[in-house]
Amino acid sequence: TTNQSWGGRFSEPTDAFVARFTASVTFDQRLARQDIQGSIAHATMLARVGVLTDEERDAIINGLTEIQGEIERGEFNWSVPLEDVHMNIEARLTDKIGITGKKLHTGRSRNDQVATDIRLFMRDEIDVIEVELKRLREGMIELADREADTIMPGFTHLQTAQPVTFGHHLLAWQEMLARDHERLLDCRKRVNVLPLGAAALAGTTYPIDRHVTAELLGFDRPAENSLDAVSDRDFAIEFTSFASILMMHLSRMSEELVLWTSAQFNFIDLPDRFCTGSSIMPQKKNPDVPELVRGKTGRVYGHLMGLLTLMKSQPLAYNKDNQEDKEPLFDAVDTVRDCLKAFADMIPAIEPKKDSMYEAARRGFSTATDLADYLVRRGVAFRDAHEIVGQSVAYGLKTQKDLSEMSLEELQQFSTIIEQDVFDVLTLEGSVAARNHIGGTAPDQVRAAAQRAREALSLL
Ligand code: ARG
């Protein structure tokens, strides 16, 4: 059969395959709540400006509210021939309240309707995602504060570089998330603009008041240009950009968690509830959660690229192409929400193996830079100091001794300037404590940074 909402000009029914091919109801029914919310606001505005009577408005609102209940109870019968969520709900409304239901679409098009629905949906999801992101940041800051004195090796090129504190490392992660948080809130500003009233593309002849609709739906303002309002999907691209960068950060953290739980690093333990075993190797405990987060990063990048490509070269205004925006967006939203939840649950449960981290920092000559700085403080030029320490390290490699394990006489072979007080700077504690400025790894700085991070987060 030809679709009842636009069949008037057609002389034969839609091909059965085409009806299925062009329908979106199997996935866009996820927008039902927002579709009803938007329709109620639209009807309210139409009554306010005299296009609908108050009785008509009330009949529409009551009907839509009942439909909402039917959908929530799983009693709603979604029809593929009715194409999408919008026409399914409108058809049901007309079933229920008769001719008044047919007046709801006055001054509106599915083009501005769907754009409004997605924006309402994205706003809701952004707010849920923000709660999880906050929870993750809070947990990370608290763990960092607890681990402000815990010493581990810091790496460059994944080779032992200089000792750092575990708290400092965790606050590095937290900084990444703080930027992601800003990006999310910035994206929300551009999501929160009302397309409704743009109608199909040019606006409408009815005396609509878009400020009323915007206010009823909690949008900051009506979109400025009707052509742009129905065709803009920048906000979806912005969200998936935010999501891609966030996932990139989570994948970096995941990679470190996976490395750290290995026997070879042995820096942390993840509680059993975040891990799984092997069906063949009885000894195994695998860090599946961080591995999966790392893996899921790929699909979010894919959705960003998919949406950019979807929008590329589209002429104004609405094109059916845009129906393809929903599935990537839904999947990106679900993936980000789940990954953040997993991390927010898991991070506070990390159990650092402090002795093992400390031992790893002691190996690998991580205080070599401190020895060079010591010589510089005693008047040696930095390049000469570098050479002297390099020779000490070569000696240590041969004799299997760390710098702090050498006797004063052994160290003095390389420079007679070295005295007993050198051992103060060669300890790991001395090394981290000496980096005592904003952004440095000293435990006192880590505690201060955690406090600043806590305050910044509480202001959001
Ligand atoms: N299902 C469509 C979408 O998701 C709704 C808008 C369709 N408008 C149209 N004129 N075909 O984009």
Side-chain angles (χ1 to χ4, degrees):
T1 54
T2 299
N3 192 299
Q4 55 181 281
S5 45
W6 42 252
R9 61 98 69 217
F10 286 74
S11 56
E12 63 172 358
T14 315
D15 177 85
F17 170 74
V18 171
R20 191 157 54 75
F21 184 68
T22 56
S24 53
V25 69
T26 50
F27 52 87
D28 69 13
Q29 54 180 268
R30 189 164 170 183
L31 297 174
R33 194 162 54 79
Q34 288 82 11
D35 194 67
I36 288 172
Q37 190 187 356
S39 290
I40 288 177
H42 181 64
T44 305
M45 181 278 290
L46 288 180
R48 190 106 36 113
V49 300
V51 173
L52 291 180
T53 66
D54 288 355
E55 294 69 39
E56 287 169 334
R57 174 200 61 204
D58 292 345
I60 287 172
I61 293 178
N62 291 337
L64 288 171
T65 308
E66 280 175 33
I67 292 171
Q68 174 77 46
E70 293 170 10
I71 294 169
E72 279 165 12
R73 291 190 299 275
E75 292 163 13
F76 193 90
N77 188 16
W78 296 103
S79 149
V80 172
L82 283 171
E83 228 180 292
D84 55 26
V85 62
H86 322 293
M87 295 205 291
N88 266 269
I89 290 175
E90 192 188 309
R92 178 74 186 128
L93 181 67
T94 302
D95 283 352
K96 289 175 87 80
I97 68 169
I99 186 153
T100 304
K102 297 186 180 180
K103 296 189 177 181
L104 169 62
H105 211 53
T106 311
R108 184 176 79 169
S109 156
R110 271 186 298 156
N111 298 347
D112 58 343
Q113 186 179 358
V114 69
T116 302
D117 292 2
I118 311 173
R119 284 171 184 267
L120 286 170
F121 172 83
M122 287 310 298
R123 195 178 67 189
D124 292 344
E125 295 296 327
I126 285 172
D127 292 346
V128 172
I129 285 168
E130 205 214 336
V131 170
E132 291 296 318
L133 185 51
K134 258 195 182 140
R135 190 162 72 86
L136 170 55
R137 289 182 62 193
E138 280 160 8
M140 218 173 245
I141 294 167
E142 291 324 305
L143 182 63
D145 201 18
R146 281 205 297 285
E147 303 300 333
D149 294 292
T150 306
I151 291 175
M152 66 182 283
F155 299 92
T156 60
H157 312 264
L158 207 55
Q159 312 292 315
T160 301
Q162 292 174 350
V164 295
T165 50
F166 186 41
H168 196 53
H169 195 110
L170 290 164
L171 287 181
W173 288 0
Q174 201 286 132
E175 284 300 308
M176 303 175 190
L177 296 177
R179 292 191 295 275
D180 291 327
H181 201 154
E182 283 180 27
R183 273 184 280 270
L184 179 68
L185 294 177
D186 204 53
C187 169
R188 191 188 190 281
K189 289 185 213 157
R190 281 176 293 279
V191 167
N192 204 29
V193 175
L194 172 77
L196 213 59
L201 74 163
T204 176
T205 57
Y206 299 94
I208 57 170
D209 187 338
R210 300 183 65 212
H211 289 291
V212 168
T213 322
E215 208 193 305
L216 289 170
L217 292 172
F219 283 109
D220 294 331
R221 60 183 174 85
E224 195 62 41
N225 179 292
S226 63
L227 292 165
D228 179 52
V230 291
S231 74
D232 165 32
R233 295 293 183 274
D234 294 5
F235 65 90
I237 295 174
E238 274 195 57
F239 176 81
T240 42
S241 303
F242 146 80
S244 295
I245 298 175
L246 170 71
M247 291 301 296
M248 177 273 290
H249 287 148
L250 294 182
S251 79
R252 295 181 66 184
M253 298 170 200
S254 296
E255 171 70 8
E256 293 190 315
L257 292 173
V258 171
L259 285 172
W260 292 349
T261 53
S262 70
Q264 287 67 25
F265 271 83
N266 196 33
F267 283 3
I268 61 164
D269 204 17
L270 284 179
D272 287 359
R273 63 184 182 280
F274 297 107
C275 301
T276 62
S278 158
S279 56
I280 172 168
M281 296 168 283
Q283 85 284 12
K284 293 279 278 178
K285 173 173 157 181
N286 297 325
D288 286 41
V289 172
E291 288 175 278
L292 254 185
V293 171
R294 189 176 60 185
K296 283 177 185 291
T297 304
R299 65 200 286 159
V300 176
Y301 290 5
H303 297 322
L304 170 60
M305 204 42 64
L307 286 168
L308 280 168
T309 312
L310 175 68
M311 294 313 294
K312 176 182 179 297
S313 315
Q314 268 198 49
L316 288 173
Y318 176 86
N319 302 283
K320 185 75 168 182
D321 311 43
N322 287 354
Q323 185 163 288
E324 288 287 307
D325 62 356
K326 290 167 202 65
E327 289 159 293
L329 209 45
F330 293 162
D331 188 70
V333 159
D334 292 341
T335 305
V336 164
R337 204 204 317 96
D338 287 354
C339 291
L340 281 174
K341 182 193 162 21
F343 257 70
D345 291 346
M346 182 176 66
I347 292 295
I350 289 177
E351 294 161 12
K353 295 180 169 173
K354 302 187 194 204
D355 295 345
S356 174
M357 284 183 177
Y358 192 89
E359 258 317 291
R362 245 175 37 77
R363 294 187 306 268
F365 305 96
S366 65
T367 54
T369 316
D370 297 86
L371 179 56
D373 290 344
Y374 170 89
L375 292 167
V376 168
R377 280 196 297 278
R378 298 183 158 235
V380 181
F382 184 76
R383 275 296 150 229
D384 294 334
H386 190 289
E387 174 64 24
I388 291 166
V389 180
Q391 287 167 7
S392 322
V393 168
Y395 172 79
L397 286 169
K398 210 161 57 205
T399 56
Q400 297 203 2
K401 284 182 184 172
D402 193 74
L403 294 174
S404 62
E405 292 167 338
M406 294 177 196
S407 67
L408 184 57
E409 292 69 36
E410 280 176 303
L411 287 168
Q412 284 173 339
Q413 300 173 79
F414 309 104
S415 169
T416 51
I417 283 175
I418 300 175
E419 289 177 44
Q420 186 61 34
D421 62 354
V422 74
F423 294 107
D424 299 340
V425 305
L426 290 184
T427 65
L428 299 178
E429 289 79 1
S431 172
V432 294
R435 284 156 173 83
N436 190 22
H437 52 77
I438 288 189
T441 195
D444 286 345
Q445 292 295 335
V446 171
R447 276 183 281 271
Q451 185 52 26
R452 286 195 301 275
R454 228 178 255 128
E455 281 159 17
L457 189 52
S458 73
L459 292 178
L460 287 178

PDB file of all heavy atoms in Angstrom, residues 94-123:
ATOM      1  N   THR A  94      -3.803   9.651  15.233  1.00  0.00           N
ATOM      2  CA  THR A  94      -5.030   9.825  14.465  1.00  0.00           C
ATOM      3  C   THR A  94      -6.000   8.656  14.700  1.00  0.00           C
ATOM      4  O   THR A  94      -7.207   8.859  14.818  1.00  0.00           O
ATOM      5  CB  THR A  94      -4.697  10.009  12.972  1.00  0.00           C
ATOM      6  OG1 THR A  94      -3.842  11.155  12.865  1.00  0.00           O
ATOM      7  CG2 THR A  94      -5.939  10.236  12.141  1.00  0.00           C
ATOM      8  N   ASP A  95      -5.445   7.435  14.827  1.00  0.00           N
ATOM      9  CA  ASP A  95      -6.286   6.284  15.235  1.00  0.00           C
ATOM     10  C   ASP A  95      -7.027   6.607  16.515  1.00  0.00           C
ATOM     11  O   ASP A  95      -8.199   6.287  16.682  1.00  0.00           O
ATOM     12  CB  ASP A  95      -5.418   5.063  15.597  1.00  0.00           C
ATOM     13  CG  ASP A  95      -4.891   4.344  14.386  1.00  0.00           C
ATOM     14  OD1 ASP A  95      -5.309   4.697  13.265  1.00  0.00           O
ATOM     15  OD2 ASP A  95      -4.037   3.450  14.569  1.00  0.00           O
ATOM     16  N   LYS A  96      -6.294   7.210  17.437  1.00  0.00           N
ATOM     17  CA  LYS A  96      -6.856   7.390  18.777  1.00  0.00           C
ATOM     18  C   LYS A  96      -7.807   8.580  18.862  1.00  0.00           C
ATOM     19  O   LYS A  96      -8.864   8.488  19.467  1.00  0.00           O
ATOM     20  CB  LYS A  96      -5.722   7.610  19.814  1.00  0.00           C
ATOM     21  CG  LYS A  96      -4.907   6.382  20.099  1.00  0.00           C
ATOM     22  CD  LYS A  96      -3.737   6.715  21.023  1.00  0.00           C
ATOM     23  CE  LYS A  96      -4.129   6.638  22.470  1.00  0.00           C
ATOM     24  NZ  LYS A  96      -4.158   5.255  22.991  1.00  0.00           N
ATOM     25  N   ILE A  97      -7.433   9.718  18.266  1.00  0.00           N
ATOM     26  CA  ILE A  97      -8.238  10.933  18.506  1.00  0.00           C
ATOM     27  C   ILE A  97      -8.897  11.455  17.233  1.00  0.00           C
ATOM     28  O   ILE A  97      -9.534  12.513  17.251  1.00  0.00           O
ATOM     29  CB  ILE A  97      -7.392  12.049  19.175  1.00  0.00           C
ATOM     30  CG1 ILE A  97      -6.320  12.589  18.222  1.00  0.00           C
ATOM     31  CG2 ILE A  97      -6.753  11.561  20.479  1.00  0.00           C
ATOM     32  CD1 ILE A  97      -5.647  13.860  18.746  1.00  0.00           C
ATOM     33  N   GLY A  98      -8.755  10.728  16.136  1.00  0.00           N
ATOM     34  CA  GLY A  98      -9.451  11.131  14.913  1.00  0.00           C
ATOM     35  C   GLY A  98      -8.814  12.327  14.237  1.00  0.00           C
ATOM     36  O   GLY A  98      -7.602  12.575  14.363  1.00  0.00           O
ATOM     37  N   ILE A  99      -9.651  13.123  13.587  1.00  0.00           N
ATOM     38  CA  ILE A  99      -9.188  14.175  12.674  1.00  0.00           C
ATOM     39  C   ILE A  99      -8.244  15.193  13.327  1.00  0.00           C
ATOM     40  O   ILE A  99      -7.320  15.706  12.685  1.00  0.00           O
ATOM     41  CB  ILE A  99     -10.405  14.893  12.032  1.00  0.00           C
ATOM     42  CG1 ILE A  99      -9.912  15.888  10.970  1.00  0.00           C
ATOM     43  CG2 ILE A  99     -11.233  15.622  13.080  1.00  0.00           C
ATOM     44  CD1 ILE A  99     -10.939  16.132   9.890  1.00  0.00           C
ATOM     45  N   THR A 100      -8.425  15.417  14.632  1.00  0.00           N
ATOM     46  CA  THR A 100      -7.536  16.373  15.315  1.00  0.00           C
ATOM     47  C   THR A 100      -6.077  15.929  15.234  1.00  0.00           C
ATOM     48  O   THR A 100      -5.163  16.756  15.143  1.00  0.00           O
ATOM     49  CB  THR A 100      -7.972  16.549  16.789  1.00  0.00           C
ATOM     50  OG1 THR A 100      -9.339  16.944  16.792  1.00  0.00           O
ATOM     51  CG2 THR A 100      -7.143  17.587  17.501  1.00  0.00           C
ATOM     52  N   GLY A 101      -5.881  14.608  15.236  1.00  0.00           N
ATOM     53  CA  GLY A 101      -4.525  14.079  15.136  1.00  0.00           C
ATOM     54  C   GLY A 101      -3.849  14.523  13.848  1.00  0.00           C
ATOM     55  O   GLY A 101      -2.627  14.722  13.803  1.00  0.00           O
ATOM     56  N   LYS A 102      -4.675  14.698  12.798  1.00  0.00           N
ATOM     57  CA  LYS A 102      -4.122  15.104  11.499  1.00  0.00           C
ATOM     58  C   LYS A 102      -3.694  16.571  11.481  1.00  0.00           C
ATOM     59  O   LYS A 102      -3.085  17.035  10.526  1.00  0.00           O
ATOM     60  CB  LYS A 102      -5.151  14.861  10.396  1.00  0.00           C
ATOM     61  CG  LYS A 102      -5.515  13.395  10.230  1.00  0.00           C
ATOM     62  CD  LYS A 102      -6.419  13.208   9.028  1.00  0.00           C
ATOM     63  CE  LYS A 102      -6.786  11.733   8.861  1.00  0.00           C
ATOM     64  NZ  LYS A 102      -7.654  11.526   7.695  1.00  0.00           N
ATOM     65  N   LYS A 103      -4.071  17.325  12.530  1.00  0.00           N
ATOM     66  CA  LYS A 103      -3.706  18.746  12.568  1.00  0.00           C
ATOM     67  C   LYS A 103      -2.340  18.989  13.210  1.00  0.00           C
ATOM     68  O   LYS A 103      -1.799  20.092  13.115  1.00  0.00           O
ATOM     69  CB  LYS A 103      -4.773  19.536  13.340  1.00  0.00           C
ATOM     70  CG  LYS A 103      -6.137  19.522  12.662  1.00  0.00           C
ATOM     71  CD  LYS A 103      -7.086  20.494  13.334  1.00  0.00           C
ATOM     72  CE  LYS A 103      -8.422  20.507  12.578  1.00  0.00           C
ATOM     73  NZ  LYS A 103      -9.372  21.464  13.191  1.00  0.00           N
ATOM     74  N   LEU A 104      -1.811  17.944  13.883  1.00  0.00           N
ATOM     75  CA  LEU A 104      -0.541  18.127  14.599  1.00  0.00           C
ATOM     76  C   LEU A 104       0.576  18.601  13.676  1.00  0.00           C
ATOM     77  O   LEU A 104       1.444  19.375  14.061  1.00  0.00           O
ATOM     78  CB  LEU A 104      -0.141  16.804  15.290  1.00  0.00           C
ATOM     79  CG  LEU A 104       1.274  16.736  15.864  1.00  0.00           C
ATOM     80  CD1 LEU A 104       1.489  17.783  16.962  1.00  0.00           C
ATOM     81  CD2 LEU A 104       1.561  15.342  16.424  1.00  0.00           C
ATOM     82  N   HIS A 105       0.565  18.101  12.433  1.00  0.00           N
ATOM     83  CA  HIS A 105       1.700  18.370  11.544  1.00  0.00           C
ATOM     84  C   HIS A 105       1.612  19.756  10.885  1.00  0.00           C
ATOM     85  O   HIS A 105       2.433  20.102  10.037  1.00  0.00           O
ATOM     86  CB  HIS A 105       1.801  17.265  10.491  1.00  0.00           C
ATOM     87  CG  HIS A 105       3.207  16.977  10.038  1.00  0.00           C
ATOM     88  ND1 HIS A 105       4.249  16.703  10.898  1.00  0.00           N
ATOM     89  CD2 HIS A 105       3.758  16.926   8.786  1.00  0.00           C
ATOM     90  CE1 HIS A 105       5.360  16.506  10.210  1.00  0.00           C
ATOM     91  NE2 HIS A 105       5.084  16.641   8.920  1.00  0.00           N
ATOM     92  N   THR A 106       0.630  20.562  11.285  1.00  0.00           N
ATOM     93  CA  THR A 106       0.479  21.914  10.725  1.00  0.00           C
ATOM     94  C   THR A 106       1.742  22.742  10.994  1.00  0.00           C
ATOM     95  O   THR A 106       2.214  22.814  12.125  1.00  0.00           O
ATOM     96  CB  THR A 106      -0.722  22.632  11.395  1.00  0.00           C
ATOM     97  OG1 THR A 106      -1.848  21.756  11.365  1.00  0.00           O
ATOM     98  CG2 THR A 106      -1.044  23.940  10.682  1.00  0.00           C
ATOM     99  N   GLY A 107       2.279  23.333   9.935  1.00  0.00           N
ATOM    100  CA  GLY A 107       3.428  24.226  10.109  1.00  0.00           C
ATOM    101  C   GLY A 107       4.706  23.482  10.445  1.00  0.00           C
ATOM    102  O   GLY A 107       5.656  24.063  10.970  1.00  0.00           O
ATOM    103  N   ARG A 108       4.750  22.212  10.152  1.00  0.00           N
ATOM    104  CA  ARG A 108       5.916  21.408  10.510  1.00  0.00           C
ATOM    105  C   ARG A 108       6.214  20.425   9.387  1.00  0.00           C
ATOM    106  O   ARG A 108       5.329  20.106   8.589  1.00  0.00           O
ATOM    107  CB  ARG A 108       5.599  20.628  11.796  1.00  0.00           C
ATOM    108  CG  ARG A 108       6.726  19.813  12.349  1.00  0.00           C
ATOM    109  CD  ARG A 108       6.357  19.158  13.675  1.00  0.00           C
ATOM    110  NE  ARG A 108       5.547  17.955  13.500  1.00  0.00           N
ATOM    111  CZ  ARG A 108       5.271  17.087  14.478  1.00  0.00           C
ATOM    112  NH1 ARG A 108       5.715  17.310  15.713  1.00  0.00           N
ATOM    113  NH2 ARG A 108       4.544  16.018  14.246  1.00  0.00           N
ATOM    114  N   SER A 109       7.446  19.972   9.303  1.00  0.00           N
ATOM    115  CA  SER A 109       7.847  18.950   8.342  1.00  0.00           C
ATOM    116  C   SER A 109       8.602  17.886   9.109  1.00  0.00           C
ATOM    117  O   SER A 109       9.096  18.144  10.211  1.00  0.00           O
ATOM    118  CB  SER A 109       8.763  19.574   7.284  1.00  0.00           C
ATOM    119  OG  SER A 109       9.584  18.591   6.686  1.00  0.00           O
ATOM    120  N   ARG A 110       8.712  16.707   8.551  1.00  0.00           N
ATOM    121  CA  ARG A 110       9.559  15.716   9.214  1.00  0.00           C
ATOM    122  C   ARG A 110      11.025  16.177   9.236  1.00  0.00           C
ATOM    123  O   ARG A 110      11.811  15.714  10.038  1.00  0.00           O
ATOM    124  CB  ARG A 110       9.452  14.364   8.511  1.00  0.00           C
ATOM    125  CG  ARG A 110       8.335  13.499   9.053  1.00  0.00           C
ATOM    126  CD  ARG A 110       8.380  12.144   8.418  1.00  0.00           C
ATOM    127  NE  ARG A 110       8.170  12.234   6.984  1.00  0.00           N
ATOM    128  CZ  ARG A 110       8.592  11.337   6.103  1.00  0.00           C
ATOM    129  NH1 ARG A 110       9.262  10.266   6.514  1.00  0.00           N
ATOM    130  NH2 ARG A 110       8.337  11.473   4.819  1.00  0.00           N
ATOM    131  N   ASN A 111      11.337  17.093   8.310  1.00  0.00           N
ATOM    132  CA  ASN A 111      12.736  17.533   8.251  1.00  0.00           C
ATOM    133  C   ASN A 111      13.151  18.322   9.494  1.00  0.00           C
ATOM    134  O   ASN A 111      14.208  18.079  10.065  1.00  0.00           O
ATOM    135  CB  ASN A 111      12.978  18.360   6.985  1.00  0.00           C
ATOM    136  CG  ASN A 111      12.734  17.540   5.723  1.00  0.00           C
ATOM    137  OD1 ASN A 111      12.619  16.314   5.789  1.00  0.00           O
ATOM    138  ND2 ASN A 111      12.649  18.209   4.590  1.00  0.00           N
ATOM    139  N   ASP A 112      12.297  19.283   9.904  1.00  0.00           N
ATOM    140  CA  ASP A 112      12.640  19.996  11.140  1.00  0.00           C
ATOM    141  C   ASP A 112      12.308  19.146  12.364  1.00  0.00           C
ATOM    142  O   ASP A 112      12.944  19.269  13.411  1.00  0.00           O
ATOM    143  CB  ASP A 112      11.994  21.395  11.213  1.00  0.00           C
ATOM    144  CG  ASP A 112      10.484  21.402  11.112  1.00  0.00           C
ATOM    145  OD1 ASP A 112       9.905  20.397  10.670  1.00  0.00           O
ATOM    146  OD2 ASP A 112       9.878  22.439  11.470  1.00  0.00           O
ATOM    147  N   GLN A 113      11.327  18.232  12.188  1.00  0.00           N
ATOM    148  CA  GLN A 113      10.955  17.358  13.303  1.00  0.00           C
ATOM    149  C   GLN A 113      12.109  16.418  13.667  1.00  0.00           C
ATOM    150  O   GLN A 113      12.492  16.304  14.842  1.00  0.00           O
ATOM    151  CB  GLN A 113       9.709  16.547  12.886  1.00  0.00           C
ATOM    152  CG  GLN A 113       9.117  15.691  13.972  1.00  0.00           C
ATOM    153  CD  GLN A 113       7.877  14.949  13.481  1.00  0.00           C
ATOM    154  OE1 GLN A 113       7.453  15.115  12.325  1.00  0.00           O
ATOM    155  NE2 GLN A 113       7.295  14.138  14.327  1.00  0.00           N
ATOM    156  N   VAL A 114      12.693  15.767  12.657  1.00  0.00           N
ATOM    157  CA  VAL A 114      13.749  14.797  12.964  1.00  0.00           C
ATOM    158  C   VAL A 114      14.990  15.507  13.503  1.00  0.00           C
ATOM    159  O   VAL A 114      15.647  15.032  14.433  1.00  0.00           O
ATOM    160  CB  VAL A 114      14.074  13.889  11.754  1.00  0.00           C
ATOM    161  CG1 VAL A 114      14.762  14.644  10.629  1.00  0.00           C
ATOM    162  CG2 VAL A 114      14.932  12.714  12.190  1.00  0.00           C
ATOM    163  N   ALA A 115      15.282  16.674  12.943  1.00  0.00           N
ATOM    164  CA  ALA A 115      16.456  17.415  13.425  1.00  0.00           C
ATOM    165  C   ALA A 115      16.264  17.800  14.890  1.00  0.00           C
ATOM    166  O   ALA A 115      17.210  17.753  15.693  1.00  0.00           O
ATOM    167  CB  ALA A 115      16.691  18.663  12.558  1.00  0.00           C
ATOM    168  N   THR A 116      15.022  18.149  15.247  1.00  0.00           N
ATOM    169  CA  THR A 116      14.728  18.496  16.642  1.00  0.00           C
ATOM    170  C   THR A 116      14.860  17.267  17.542  1.00  0.00           C
ATOM    171  O   THR A 116      15.461  17.328  18.621  1.00  0.00           O
ATOM    172  CB  THR A 116      13.307  19.085  16.744  1.00  0.00           C
ATOM    173  OG1 THR A 116      13.234  20.232  15.890  1.00  0.00           O
ATOM    174  CG2 THR A 116      12.979  19.483  18.173  1.00  0.00           C
ATOM    175  N   ASP A 117      14.297  16.149  17.072  1.00  0.00           N
ATOM    176  CA  ASP A 117      14.356  14.916  17.873  1.00  0.00           C
ATOM    177  C   ASP A 117      15.802  14.515  18.183  1.00  0.00           C
ATOM    178  O   ASP A 117      16.139  14.157  19.307  1.00  0.00           O
ATOM    179  CB  ASP A 117      13.685  13.751  17.122  1.00  0.00           C
ATOM    180  CG  ASP A 117      12.174  13.936  16.987  1.00  0.00           C
ATOM    181  OD1 ASP A 117      11.652  14.979  17.430  1.00  0.00           O
ATOM    182  OD2 ASP A 117      11.516  13.031  16.420  1.00  0.00           O
ATOM    183  N   ILE A 118      16.647  14.557  17.156  1.00  0.00           N
ATOM    184  CA  ILE A 118      18.040  14.113  17.382  1.00  0.00           C
ATOM    185  C   ILE A 118      18.739  15.049  18.356  1.00  0.00           C
ATOM    186  O   ILE A 118      19.523  14.615  19.200  1.00  0.00           O
ATOM    187  CB  ILE A 118      18.871  14.082  16.080  1.00  0.00           C
ATOM    188  CG1 ILE A 118      18.137  13.355  14.972  1.00  0.00           C
ATOM    189  CG2 ILE A 118      20.204  13.380  16.303  1.00  0.00           C
ATOM    190  CD1 ILE A 118      18.869  13.480  13.651  1.00  0.00           C
ATOM    191  N   ARG A 119      18.454  16.340  18.234  1.00  0.00           N
ATOM    192  CA  ARG A 119      19.099  17.287  19.155  1.00  0.00           C
ATOM    193  C   ARG A 119      18.623  17.064  20.592  1.00  0.00           C
ATOM    194  O   ARG A 119      19.426  17.117  21.527  1.00  0.00           O
ATOM    195  CB  ARG A 119      18.852  18.727  18.703  1.00  0.00           C
ATOM    196  CG  ARG A 119      19.718  19.115  17.515  1.00  0.00           C
ATOM    197  CD  ARG A 119      19.283  20.460  16.956  1.00  0.00           C
ATOM    198  NE  ARG A 119      20.042  20.803  15.761  1.00  0.00           N
ATOM    199  CZ  ARG A 119      21.156  21.533  15.756  1.00  0.00           C
ATOM    200  NH1 ARG A 119      21.645  22.007  16.880  1.00  0.00           N
ATOM    201  NH2 ARG A 119      21.779  21.785  14.629  1.00  0.00           N
ATOM    202  N   LEU A 120      17.325  16.806  20.763  1.00  0.00           N
ATOM    203  CA  LEU A 120      16.828  16.512  22.115  1.00  0.00           C
ATOM    204  C   LEU A 120      17.492  15.240  22.652  1.00  0.00           C
ATOM    205  O   LEU A 120      17.907  15.171  23.809  1.00  0.00           O
ATOM    206  CB  LEU A 120      15.300  16.322  22.101  1.00  0.00           C
ATOM    207  CG  LEU A 120      14.454  17.590  21.933  1.00  0.00           C
ATOM    208  CD1 LEU A 120      12.983  17.220  21.691  1.00  0.00           C
ATOM    209  CD2 LEU A 120      14.566  18.500  23.162  1.00  0.00           C
ATOM    210  N   PHE A 121      17.574  14.247  21.772  1.00  0.00           N
ATOM    211  CA  PHE A 121      18.196  12.979  22.161  1.00  0.00           C
ATOM    212  C   PHE A 121      19.657  13.197  22.555  1.00  0.00           C
ATOM    213  O   PHE A 121      20.117  12.735  23.609  1.00  0.00           O
ATOM    214  CB  PHE A 121      18.096  11.985  20.995  1.00  0.00           C
ATOM    215  CG  PHE A 121      18.871  10.715  21.197  1.00  0.00           C
ATOM    216  CD1 PHE A 121      18.339   9.664  21.925  1.00  0.00           C
ATOM    217  CD2 PHE A 121      20.150  10.574  20.665  1.00  0.00           C
ATOM    218  CE1 PHE A 121      19.063   8.498  22.126  1.00  0.00           C
ATOM    219  CE2 PHE A 121      20.884   9.411  20.862  1.00  0.00           C
ATOM    220  CZ  PHE A 121      20.338   8.370  21.595  1.00  0.00           C
ATOM    221  N   MET A 122      20.391  13.940  21.726  1.00  0.00           N
ATOM    222  CA  MET A 122      21.811  14.162  22.002  1.00  0.00           C
ATOM    223  C   MET A 122      22.004  14.931  23.297  1.00  0.00           C
ATOM    224  O   MET A 122      22.927  14.659  24.061  1.00  0.00           O
ATOM    225  CB  MET A 122      22.476  14.927  20.846  1.00  0.00           C
ATOM    226  CG  MET A 122      22.698  14.111  19.595  1.00  0.00           C
ATOM    227  SD  MET A 122      23.504  12.526  19.906  1.00  0.00           S
ATOM    228  CE  MET A 122      25.065  13.070  20.576  1.00  0.00           C
ATOM    229  N   ARG A 123      21.124  15.885  23.538  1.00  0.00           N
ATOM    230  CA  ARG A 123      21.239  16.657  24.781  1.00  0.00           C
ATOM    231  C   ARG A 123      21.067  15.731  25.985  1.00  0.00           C
ATOM    232  O   ARG A 123      21.839  15.795  26.938  1.00  0.00           O
ATOM    233  CB  ARG A 123      20.199  17.765  24.779  1.00  0.00           C
ATOM    234  CG  ARG A 123      20.453  18.828  25.804  1.00  0.00           C
ATOM    235  CD  ARG A 123      19.409  19.920  25.722  1.00  0.00           C
ATOM    236  NE  ARG A 123      18.093  19.425  26.117  1.00  0.00           N
ATOM    237  CZ  ARG A 123      16.965  20.122  25.969  1.00  0.00           C
ATOM    238  NH1 ARG A 123      16.990  21.316  25.404  1.00  0.00           N
ATOM    239  NH2 ARG A 123      15.811  19.615  26.365  1.00  0.00           N
TER     240      ARG A 123
END
